[in-house]
Amino acid sequence: AQSVTQPDIHITVSEGASLELRCNYSYGATPYLFWYVQSPGQGLQLLLKYFSGDTLVQGIKGFEAEFKRSQSSFNLRKPSVHWSDAAEYFCAVGAVQAGTALIFGKGTTLSVSS
Amino acid sequence: EPEVTQTPSHQVTQMGQEVILRCVPISNHLYFYWYRQILGQKVEFLVSFYNNEISEKSEIFDDQFSVERPDGSNFTLKIRSTKLEDSAMYFCASSDGGTANTGELFFGEGSRLTVL
């Protein structure tokens, strides 16, 4: 079955500290992997994506993610968190073919403490 | 920067009423989608639409739901007879799907539907 697991429902990080949000997936075909961020009352904004090539991808706002095929993981990282990073983060997997569904994880809520 | 726009941002309706949610996808995109997010839960795929027909739909997208592209710019989701459990945020998205397809979906800011 196709699925995305984000094991951490809620994470609190101190401002300036590093962050890692976990994502594991199960997908039958070659996966396209995405991280989206959702601020309260807002839509989904793409942080970064992986299609092929270099397994370490850079995104907006200083985020990066590493694709590890052997572990079926696509963890999101940021070396130094800012208070404005507080939001909900969704990992998603999809197929190469356009028009197919993106499968989302349940999300991880990030809180940033001062 | 081109964006997906959705209206209304919030709609309150009585159970059993028909609701139409509207979306204007990015103009040169070919694939259109509806997702929903029930409060506190994950984002769920409803339907994708290409070349004036549904290309994929989920189990959630039953006979109460329909989609339409009535003109060259709008993409609508109709819920025929709303139920309490239809209360959710509904996101429209579009993607390129052409030779430059990267699988990336661009999402609107959502329409919050509250069914009373």
Side-chain angles (χ1 to χ4, degrees):
Chain A
Q2 299 171 348
S3 65
V4 175
T5 301
Q6 294 181 244
D8 305 304
I9 297 173
H10 192 179
I11 284 182
T12 299
V13 174
S14 298
E15 190 169 16
S18 64
L19 169 71
E20 182 169 28
L21 302 182
R22 296 181 289 165
C23 172
N24 292 95
Y25 68 91
S26 173
Y27 202 71
T30 301
Y32 278 1
L33 293 155
F34 305 83
W35 275 99
Y36 283 88
V37 61
Q38 183 183 32
S39 297
Q42 300 296 310
L44 297 161
Q45 181 183 23
L46 181 69
L47 281 177
L48 48 76
K49 60 196 177 192
Y50 172 79
F51 297 134
S52 64
D54 193 346
T55 56
L56 184 64
V57 293
Q58 303 296 321
I60 62 171
K61 304 183 181 184
F63 285 91
E64 66 178 27
E66 186 171 13
F67 171 57
K68 293 186 177 179
R69 185 184 300 275
S70 62
Q71 298 177 18
S72 296
S73 70
F74 188 57
N75 294 348
L76 181 72
R77 300 194 293 249
K78 185 169 184 178
S80 177
V81 167
H82 188 262
W83 65 266
S84 60
D85 293 324
E88 182 127 26
Y89 291 80
F90 293 94
C91 180
V93 63
V96 170
Q97 182 180 352
T100 56
L102 276 187
I103 310 298
F104 282 83
K106 290 186 177 181
T108 298
T109 301
L110 172 65
S111 298
V112 180
S113 61
S114 56
Chain B
E1 183 177 330
E3 59 181 15
V4 175
T5 58
Q6 291 185 240
T7 55
S9 57
H10 189 189
Q11 182 159 354
V12 181
T13 190
Q14 295 292 324
M15 192 169 54
Q17 294 296 305
E18 176 183 283
V19 161
I20 297 176
L21 305 178
R22 291 181 169 80
C23 169
V24 179
I26 295 173
S27 61
N28 63 339
H29 282 185
L30 303 176
Y31 289 84
F32 315 114
Y33 311 80
W34 283 101
Y35 287 77
R36 80 171 185 191
Q37 184 184 29
I38 295 172
L39 187 64
Q41 299 187 26
K42 66 178 178 180
V43 178
E44 301 173 293
F45 170 76
L46 291 177
V47 65
S48 60
F49 191 86
Y50 171 72
N51 199 26
N52 284 320
E53 60 182 30
I54 291 173
S55 55
E56 185 177 344
K57 63 181 181 179
S58 71
E59 294 175 349
I60 302 168
F61 194 86
D62 61 22
D63 292 343
Q64 294 287 10
F65 291 90
S66 62
V67 288
E68 191 179 30
R69 189 156 163 82
D71 53 42
S73 60
N74 289 284
F75 178 53
T76 62
L77 174 70
K78 181 191 292 186
I79 308 174
R80 208 177 327 274
S81 176
T82 50
K83 302 187 282 282
L84 295 176
E85 54 264 39
D86 293 327
S87 295
M89 180 75 91
Y90 289 81
F91 290 105
C92 176
S94 67
S95 66
D96 182 312
T99 56
N101 177 47
T102 60
E104 178 179 347
L105 270 61
F106 293 80
F107 285 86
E109 292 197 347
S111 292
R112 179 166 296 286
L113 176 64
T114 302
V115 182
L116 303 177

